[in-house]
Amino acid sequence: MEQILSDYLHTYSFTHFDLKAVIFDMDGVLYDSMPAHDKSWRQTMDEMELQYLPYEFYLHEGRIGKSTINTVFQRNLHRDATDEEIKKIYTRKTDLFQQYNSGNILPGAAEVLGLVQANGLKPVLVTGSGQPSLLDRLDTHFPGVFTPQTMVTAFDVKHGKPDPEPYLMGLQKGGDLKPNQAIVIENAPLGIESAVRAGIFTIAVNTGPLPDSVLADAGASVVFDSMETLLERMPEILRLTQAISI
């Protein structure tokens, strides 16, 4: 782990970490909601008689809804969806998601947030989601952890993941931070790409069906198999960020 952290500093020409915040994705990091997202996207596209690729909606995780819909439309119909079609599809997908989503927190997520706060770091949320059913639950499941001032959602950005804008905005929400003043916890390739393009040290937790190699190829510096494993390793990571300089 020490070498991985040092490699990041060399790559981005920093001499040290100065951690102030930890930036979390939401779906697949805090909540076990990705199976419901995947199922609701697939059913919606089946109803529209539009073809999609295996695990496509895990690969698209983090995109704003319009971008995901247009990707499928371009492949099937060789055009973007109209505003009316986007509204219809996303409304149906949202309705299905609310039916299928369990609302379960991923094991270890609350404890990781607690550890971050106990170390004097600010938790920041950066999600491509615009699902009010999840956003409204954050304060219930993680009371006092996130505020509107420390959250970036689909409603805040013009360019969703993999564009760096969401995580650059996350740095701003963390207190106008530089990239070496935060680390990112992500589970999706597009989110990882977004965070890496923003210059932030990025940890992947593989809570879905994609191979670890997909997350590593997207740029994650390290890949863990669960939030529980991250919880075990987080004290070492935070200690090393305070100790390493080049």
Side-chain angles (χ1 to χ4, degrees):
M1 183 57 68
E2 184 172 357
Q3 186 61 54
I4 292 170
L5 291 163
S6 295
D7 288 345
Y8 163 82
L9 294 175
H10 279 289
T11 298
Y12 291 93
S13 300
F14 292 117
T15 59
H16 64 287
F17 286 92
D18 179 25
L19 279 193
K20 305 292 184 185
V22 178
I23 308 177
F24 293 84
D25 179 38
M26 185 172 70
D27 295 303
V29 171
L30 301 180
Y31 288 101
D32 188 19
S33 47
M34 274 309 300
H37 279 296
D38 177 61
K39 185 176 181 179
S40 58
W41 273 122
R42 287 188 289 107
Q43 182 172 330
T44 301
M45 295 304 173
D46 286 341
E47 292 172 359
M48 297 287 295
E49 298 184 347
L50 296 171
Q51 300 296 312
Y52 47 85
L53 303 176
Y55 303 122
E56 176 157 10
F57 301 109
Y58 284 94
L59 291 167
H60 283 317
E61 181 189 348
R63 287 192 192 276
I64 58 176
K66 177 180 178 179
S67 178
T68 298
I69 293 165
N70 280 335
T71 299
V72 176
F73 262 62
Q74 283 289 349
R75 185 188 310 113
N76 283 266
L77 303 174
H78 310 292
R79 65 173 177 85
D80 285 345
T82 65
D83 290 344
E84 182 178 346
E85 288 169 331
I86 289 170
K87 182 178 180 180
K88 177 183 177 182
I89 291 170
Y90 198 69
T91 297
R92 176 59 173 159
K93 185 264 174 183
T94 299
D95 289 344
L96 290 170
F97 176 77
Q98 291 172 348
Q99 292 178 36
Y100 297 142
N101 183 38
S102 67
N104 292 336
I105 299 168
L106 280 166
E111 293 81 0
V112 171
L113 286 169
L115 180 62
V116 166
Q117 291 182 302
N119 279 269
L121 302 172
K122 180 183 293 186
V124 176
L125 187 81
V126 172
T127 175
S129 179
Q131 296 285 349
S133 60
L134 269 182
L135 298 174
D136 292 347
R137 291 181 181 141
L138 279 166
D139 201 47
T140 298
H141 293 136
F142 310 109
V145 175
F146 301 108
T147 69
Q149 290 71 38
T150 59
M151 293 168 54
V152 179
T153 75
F155 301 115
D156 299 311
V157 299
K158 293 181 180 178
H159 307 288
K161 304 171 185 178
D163 191 275
E165 181 190 14
Y167 279 105
L168 292 173
M169 191 174 291
L171 291 174
Q172 293 176 349
K173 295 257 186 170
D176 292 323
L177 304 179
K178 297 177 181 178
N180 66 324
Q181 294 181 303
I183 59 176
V184 165
I185 312 299
E186 258 284 359
N187 71 300
L190 296 186
I192 292 165
E193 186 178 342
S194 173
V196 170
R197 290 173 67 185
I200 311 169
F201 183 83
T202 304
I203 297 169
V205 285
N206 194 353
T207 59
L210 301 177
D212 284 357
S213 59
V214 173
L215 307 184
D217 289 346
S221 290
V222 61
V223 181
F224 296 127
D225 62 4
S226 67
M227 289 296 285
E228 292 173 305
T229 300
L230 173 63
L231 178 63
E232 295 173 2
R233 300 295 301 275
M234 199 68 173
E236 175 194 12
I237 292 168
L238 296 180
R239 177 181 60 80
L240 287 171
T241 60
Q242 293 179 333
I244 293 174
S245 62
I246 59 174

